[in-house]
Amino acid sequence: KPLIQRCVPFTLAFVEALGSTPSAVAVKVLQILQKIPAEKPVRRALKQALYRLERQGLVTKDEETESEPRVLIPRPADRQAEAWASWPESQGERGMVLKLPDAGRGYVMAIAVINPEGVFHEFEAIQTTRKGVRALLDKMTGGIEGRLIEIPLKHLRLLLEEVAEIYQRQNHPLPSGYEPIHKHLASQVEVVSRPHVYNLLDEKEIAEDPILLRTSESLLEVQPFVTWRLPEGLIQSFVKKIKELSESRLVISQSAQMERTAQIYREAAAEIFTPELRQHYRRLLEETALLLNLTERPQEAKRALAVAIDLENEIGLLTEDNFILGLVKRSIASEVGPQVEGAEEEATRERTTESGLIIPR
């Protein structure tokens, strides 16, 4: 059951094989699989597989009826539990919203805001009506579509439990409203061990595609990455090095200066991205990749996940992780000011021959 729910590619292949096997056993297995909650593509594949076997006379009408769950009083669509997440910011700040059906026609809304340390800046649970739900969501988004993205309930449970683990490690009490919300949520969805993005994208395929990592700097030009910066405290020593280089009285070519600047950026990436910071940004990028994929931006999602996967490894001076290098460069340059920009503009006016001679334009 956990394999069926967590590994969509395996399940689809399994269902396809069963649908091509003309036997009563295959029919029974497919009918059992229909009773397990699964992703929409899996449910669709199950129906198609049973239909193929039905055309071969292997599925009777009675068997089809038995395979469908009996719901005496179906819950209206708007009474379903739902979850949303906001786009992660560069330091890790993000929001989560959960809507749970309450007694009668009411709802319980849980609103959580995560701070850069990964704990709750705010956690609030309120009771409201259907109109109250809409009003609250409109207030949180300013009425702008795309600021909150719907995510699977099981993934929201994972996010909440990640925060709870930090509280446990620090031996701090959780907000008072957390336990009842978590208990209610845990009664509806099973615990998962990995972020939902790995159910949607093929980790192995992405990790083995070097182009994704090399082109990942392009992410810094799109939302939500356009505002990402590294914390000021992490980059100050490298900001100082860049300033000293630009203010040096030693006369060197602009190209040589740019080469030394690029070397400083690589040194900064290798030193700044400790195992702890790599794990921090890995989770931010996994969450962003999920939201990118859910909003039909698959190529950007793959690039973001490629960077996240690469952060399992130490950042070296020869890294091809151009997103991380670009983030370091942007963060330092924003502190240095126009000095670096001027050097870059000047470098574009130079041309270098094959022998390395610099020719000013």
Side-chain angles (χ1 to χ4, degrees), residues 95-300:
M96 295 177 281
V97 183
L98 174 65
K99 181 189 82 173
L100 294 168
D102 198 16
R105 297 292 298 171
Y107 296 91
V108 172
M109 294 285 287
I111 302 143
V113 179
I114 310 300
N115 68 15
E117 286 71 44
V119 296
F120 293 120
H121 173 71
E122 178 182 339
F123 189 95
E124 184 179 11
I126 60 173
Q127 290 181 308
T128 187
T129 62
R130 182 172 62 180
K131 289 184 178 179
V133 170
R134 293 175 181 171
L136 183 59
L137 292 175
D138 285 342
K139 182 178 180 181
M140 294 180 68
T141 62
I144 299 175
E145 187 177 354
R147 286 187 171 176
L148 283 175
I149 312 300
E150 186 172 356
I151 60 174
L153 286 174
K154 60 183 178 182
H155 185 67
L156 182 70
R157 178 179 176 180
L158 172 72
L159 297 179
L160 292 178
E161 290 175 350
E162 282 183 335
V163 179
E165 286 179 11
I166 296 176
Y167 278 85
Q168 291 172 357
R169 288 198 301 268
Q170 297 176 349
N171 199 27
H172 290 163
L174 284 157
S176 58
Y178 175 86
E179 287 300 336
I181 292 294
H182 178 260
K183 184 177 180 180
H184 194 157
L185 185 58
S187 69
Q188 297 204 26
V189 292
E190 294 182 347
V191 63
V192 294
S193 59
R194 303 190 75 195
H196 184 61
V197 67
Y198 293 106
N199 295 329
L200 305 177
L201 299 175
D202 189 322
E203 179 181 6
K204 182 179 179 181
E205 177 184 315
I206 288 173
E208 292 178 350
D209 186 348
I211 301 300
L212 293 173
L213 208 56
R214 292 171 190 164
T215 59
S216 60
E217 189 175 6
S218 63
L219 290 172
L220 294 168
E221 305 303 321
V222 301
Q223 292 290 356
F225 301 108
V226 288
T227 59
W228 280 33
R229 300 286 190 281
L230 290 168
E232 183 178 341
L234 294 177
I235 60 174
Q236 280 309 302
S237 63
F238 299 98
V239 169
K240 183 179 179 182
K241 288 182 180 181
I242 297 291
K243 287 182 176 180
E244 289 174 350
L245 181 64
S246 63
E247 296 168 359
S248 173
R249 294 183 180 181
L250 181 64
V251 178
I252 60 174
S253 70
Q254 291 292 341
S255 293
Q257 183 174 339
M258 291 304 298
E259 184 177 345
R260 174 56 185 148
T261 300
Q263 183 181 354
I264 292 174
Y265 291 146
R266 288 182 174 274
E267 291 171 357
E271 183 174 323
I272 290 171
F273 277 83
T274 62
E276 293 76 17
L277 192 66
R278 294 204 310 270
Q279 176 60 24
H280 174 74
Y281 274 93
R282 171 168 182 152
R283 286 296 296 116
L284 288 185
L285 285 156
E286 287 172 336
E287 291 308 301
T288 311
L290 171 62
L291 300 186
L292 288 168
N293 196 74
L294 291 175
T295 52
E296 299 182 356
R297 295 161 67 183
Q299 290 306 312
E300 292 169 6

Side-chain angles (χ1 to χ4, degrees), residues 30 47 56 71 89-90 111 135 143 169 197 200 211 213 221 232-233 259 268 290 310 316 318-319 327 332 340 356 360:
L30 288 167
K47 289 181 179 179
Q56 299 179 51
V71 181
E89 298 181 15
S90 61
I111 302 143
R169 288 198 301 268
V197 67
L200 305 177
I211 301 300
L213 208 56
E221 305 303 321
E232 183 178 341
E259 184 177 345
L290 171 62
D310 185 67
L318 300 179
T319 181
L327 180 62
I332 293 176
V340 171

Side-chain angles (χ1 to χ4, degrees), residues 293-314:
N293 196 74
L294 291 175
T295 52
E296 299 182 356
R297 295 161 67 183
Q299 290 306 312
E300 292 169 6
K302 289 179 180 179
R303 291 192 191 103
L305 190 57
V307 178
I309 294 169
D310 185 67
L311 286 174
E312 286 185 357
N313 309 311
E314 185 176 348

Side-chain angles (χ1 to χ4, degrees), residues 51-68:
Y51 176 71
R52 289 201 302 270
L53 295 179
E54 179 190 356
R55 295 185 64 184
Q56 299 179 51
L58 295 167
V59 181
T60 66
K61 292 298 180 181
D62 290 337
E63 287 175 331
E64 285 185 299
T65 303
E66 291 174 1
S67 68
E68 294 294 328

